[in-house]
Amino acid sequence: MNEKILVVEDERDISRMIEYNLKKEGYRTVLVHDGSFAALTAAKEKPALILLDLMLPGLDGLEVCRRLKADAKTRTIPIIMLTAKGEESDKVLGLGLGADDYVTKPFGLKELLARVQAVLRRYSEKAAGAAAPERLKAGLLELDAAKVEVRLKGAPVELTSKEFELLKALMACGEKVLTREELLEKAWGLDASLEVETRTVDVHVGTLRKKLRSEGRRIVTVKNYGYRFEGEEA
Ligand code: CA
């Protein structure tokens, strides 16, 4: 337990009541009252779950949901939408955007807690079930996917989340060449190619290589195609 839950709800009475009851159940909470701060806060706080109201100032809940699902940092965080009666079509849209569940206002706290527990349980089972040989090694380089940690000669290397995802994708593919589009998809999320230019990959590969120092040479440019990771000892 003790999981952190982000509550995005502008009506303070409701958000306080939700907070009070989540805390009583042993959860930690972060409250946001404006839609425009929701995605940023989620990326920073990395909550185990997000309760997302639909009618919000700043950005509405559907747009928040869209942004959360477009960002690799937040896309795997489960979302339960808080909808009012009569927002039937929004509910459908929200589920289509990748929300996991919804609760219709006015809701009972028992119902809300039951949904929260159910979604968290589903996700932890999924996480436990996912095959995770997630320790990758090459030369002086070690990547631990579970800990989101990269070490060079045993010393931690500070990487941005994109650099980390890029390195993970390359190392996990063995010697296979990955195109820039494939790397975008893996590190930026599925629809990233619509918004991010492929040369962004080159920029991040550049900074990544520098940070990996002598092991940066393992990220090999394959001209007119993309990149591959050289795992063999040179
Ligand atoms: Ca509202």
Side-chain angles (χ1 to χ4, degrees):
M1 203 85 120
N2 252 320
E3 287 127 316
K4 193 191 284 176
I5 298 180
L6 174 62
V7 182
V8 186
E9 165 66 80
D10 59 315
E11 285 157 82
R12 310 228 168 197
D13 292 352
I14 297 181
S15 64
R16 269 192 220 114
M17 177 189 73
I18 293 175
E19 178 179 50
Y20 174 79
N21 283 278
L22 287 174
K23 281 190 168 161
K24 216 167 71 180
E25 293 294 313
Y27 297 105
R28 289 174 294 151
T29 53
V30 179
L31 302 187
V32 171
H33 302 289
D34 187 304
S36 45
F37 302 125
L40 269 178
T41 307
K44 198 173 122 229
E45 298 280 347
K46 300 191 172 41
L49 181 132
I50 300 170
L51 293 176
L52 178 60
D53 184 29
L54 279 186
M55 299 280 279
L56 290 166
L59 272 185
D60 71 55
L62 287 177
E63 185 52 35
V64 172
C65 185
R66 207 172 276 132
R67 292 188 185 195
L68 288 167
K69 292 300 172 189
D71 185 342
K73 284 199 289 296
T74 52
R75 65 183 328 182
T76 58
I77 303 171
I79 299 172
I80 299 178
M81 295 185 305
L82 308 176
T83 69
K85 276 211 179 96
E87 289 176 344
E88 208 65 27
S89 58
D90 289 344
K91 202 151 65 190
V92 174
L93 262 176
L95 293 177
L97 287 173
D100 292 84
D101 202 354
Y102 59 86
V103 181
T104 308
K105 288 178 183 175
F107 48 80
L109 285 161
K110 261 196 182 157
E111 186 197 352
L112 180 70
L113 289 170
R115 302 274 180 132
V116 166
Q117 278 158 9
V119 170
L120 285 174
R121 198 182 317 118
R122 222 190 298 151
Y123 269 72
S124 66
E125 278 165 11
K126 210 160 75 179
E134 300 293 18
R135 271 171 162 269
L136 302 161
K137 269 186 101 169
L140 304 170
L141 203 56
E142 259 176 283
L143 183 146
D144 187 326
K147 288 189 190 160
V148 194
E149 192 178 77
V150 172
R151 288 177 175 269
L152 184 65
K153 260 187 180 169
V157 184
E158 291 260 341
L159 296 182
T160 66
S161 64
K162 300 299 182 212
E163 288 163 354
F164 178 83
E165 294 299 328
L166 275 176
L167 182 62
K168 189 171 85 174
L170 284 163
M171 287 182 84
C173 280
E175 308 268 297
K176 186 174 169 281
V177 183
L178 291 170
T179 64
R180 289 175 177 78
E181 286 78 13
E182 285 170 324
L183 285 167
L184 270 180
E185 188 180 307
K186 286 174 192 293
W188 274 261
L190 277 175
D191 303 323
S193 48
L194 301 174
E195 296 156 22
V196 189
E197 289 182 53
T198 47
R199 73 188 143 92
T200 308
V201 173
D202 304 335
V203 175
H204 282 80
V205 165
T207 57
L208 179 58
R209 272 188 185 134
K210 270 195 200 124
K211 290 183 182 177
L212 299 181
R213 301 199 212 167
S214 61
E215 297 296 68
R217 68 183 161 81
R218 291 184 184 277
I219 302 172
V220 180
T221 307
V222 180
K223 209 176 164 213
N224 298 327
Y225 197 73
Y227 297 96
R228 70 178 178 84
F229 189 82
E230 176 65 60
E232 296 295 307
E233 289 312 313

